[in-house]
Amino acid sequence: MQGTIDGFSYGFVTPVAAYVMACLGSALGLRCVVRSLLNQESWKPGWLALGAAAIGCGIWTMHFIAMIGFQVEETAVRYDVELTVTSLAVAIVVVGIGVFVVGYRGATPAALSVAGTITGLGVAAMHYLGMAALHLNGEIHYAMVTVALSVVIAVVAATAALWAAVSIRGFLTSLGASLVMGVAVSGMHYTGMAAVSVHLHDSGGTTWAGDSPTSLLLPMLIGPAIFLLLAAVVVMFDPLLVLGDGEWGGKGAQQQPAQDTRQIPRQPSARQGKEQPSPGWQQNPTSTRTDLRL
């Protein structure tokens, strides 16, 4: 018997909230990677680790917020705690590998290809490992073509995000990249969910175990959400991280030439005053006589 799947049991609340968390995690992660590249004196491993944790937590939180709206009408849905936690660890570790590769190797085509592929496969692994934590009175089947499409979306999204992390310096442009990344990550999730079908068991007995979505996922989401908020505080209180390389360096570059230009006419040499008096000396003969007496 085919089960009736409803991925939007709470309407647009869960997809919108999931998209916001994906954008927040991507934005914080990208800015942390940029921070490690802007200031070579900073502790690069720490900033890269913070960026990987932010992106991983954002993707994981997005997935399970969206899964709160998932239900099968004919059966209850439960989640395995260990697999759910493992999927979070997989997301952070694998995203971290891609972030560290790009952070130390730069935006070379080879580095981006390797890091983007690893990170994208990690995101897909997190998604399907999280789906493996789902228990119900039936079997979950996947349309392999749609699954392959979701993996491709994950790899492309991860590669684009890593490229943006090392190539985009401005805050607004980086914010736009995170919004696009949020669309890609959410698109990957719902593409993977479109591949799902449920074949119910003939028996109506409840032979599965685990916790309900609200009793398990909501408490577990509190930790990653608090972490993302703390990471946001770090971003907001670091001017270099907010401004980026272009704006930070641009202000200093605009101030220095202005100081040099003002100093040139203020201290003319005595030789210049005798051979080719400047217009400023001609307009102020009193200053000229005073200097000659000295």
Side-chain angles (χ1 to χ4, degrees):
M1 178 181 176
Q2 194 79 9
T4 304
I5 297 175
D6 183 6
F8 304 94
S9 59
Y10 292 95
F12 288 100
V13 174
T14 50
V16 170
Y19 172 72
V20 170
M21 296 307 296
C23 292
L24 177 60
S26 300
L28 295 176
L30 293 181
R31 298 313 295 168
C32 290
V33 175
V34 169
R35 180 62 170 81
S36 70
L37 298 174
L38 289 180
N39 189 353
Q40 297 299 325
E41 297 180 356
S42 63
W43 188 40
K44 177 176 286 191
W47 284 107
L48 293 177
L50 180 61
I55 296 175
C57 285
I59 295 173
W60 185 88
T61 306
M62 176 280 303
H63 171 83
F64 283 103
I65 286 178
M67 290 304 295
I68 291 177
F70 174 85
Q71 68 177 12
V72 180
E73 294 185 2
E74 293 82 3
T75 178
V77 175
R78 298 289 184 266
Y79 286 88
D80 181 84
V81 177
E82 293 182 0
L83 284 177
T84 303
V85 175
T86 302
S87 65
L88 173 60
V90 168
I92 295 176
V93 171
V94 180
V95 169
I97 294 174
V99 166
F100 271 79
V101 169
V102 172
Y104 282 96
R105 296 296 182 181
T108 62
L112 283 176
S113 299
V114 172
T117 301
I118 293 175
T119 305
L121 292 177
V123 172
M126 182 279 303
H127 173 83
Y128 290 105
L129 187 59
M131 290 299 297
L134 190 149
H135 293 172
L136 45 77
N137 188 33
E139 296 180 356
I140 298 177
H141 297 271
Y142 295 95
M144 298 311 298
V145 175
T146 309
V147 170
L149 178 60
S150 69
V151 174
V152 171
I153 294 175
V155 172
V156 172
T159 304
L162 294 174
W163 171 84
V166 297
S167 303
I168 295 178
R169 293 292 184 266
F171 178 73
L172 293 179
T173 52
S174 182
L175 179 61
S178 66
L179 296 178
V180 175
M181 179 65 180
V183 172
V185 172
S186 298
M188 175 268 164
H189 171 82
Y190 285 105
T191 300
M193 294 307 298
V196 173
S197 61
V198 176
H199 295 272
L200 299 175
H201 293 153
D202 294 334
S203 172
T206 57
T207 58
W208 67 95
D211 297 324
S212 65
T214 54
S215 64
L216 172 65
L217 299 182
L218 287 179
M220 291 187 65
L221 290 172
I222 295 176
I226 292 176
F227 170 80
L228 291 175
L229 291 177
L230 293 177
V233 171
V234 174
V235 171
M236 289 187 296
F237 281 91
D238 190 332
L240 181 60
L241 211 161
V242 173
L243 293 175
D245 186 31
E247 292 86 344
W248 187 269
K251 291 183 178 181
Q254 293 174 0
Q255 291 176 359
Q256 186 63 33
Q259 294 175 357
D260 296 340
T261 304
R262 290 193 300 268
Q263 290 174 357
I264 292 175
R266 288 180 180 177
Q267 297 179 356
S269 64
R271 184 177 180 181
Q272 288 177 344
K274 293 179 180 180
E275 295 179 358
Q276 295 180 355
S278 63
W281 284 63
Q282 294 176 358
Q283 295 173 2
N284 195 357
T286 305
S287 300
T288 304
R289 289 194 299 270
T290 303
D291 294 337
L292 291 175
R293 291 192 188 99
L294 294 174

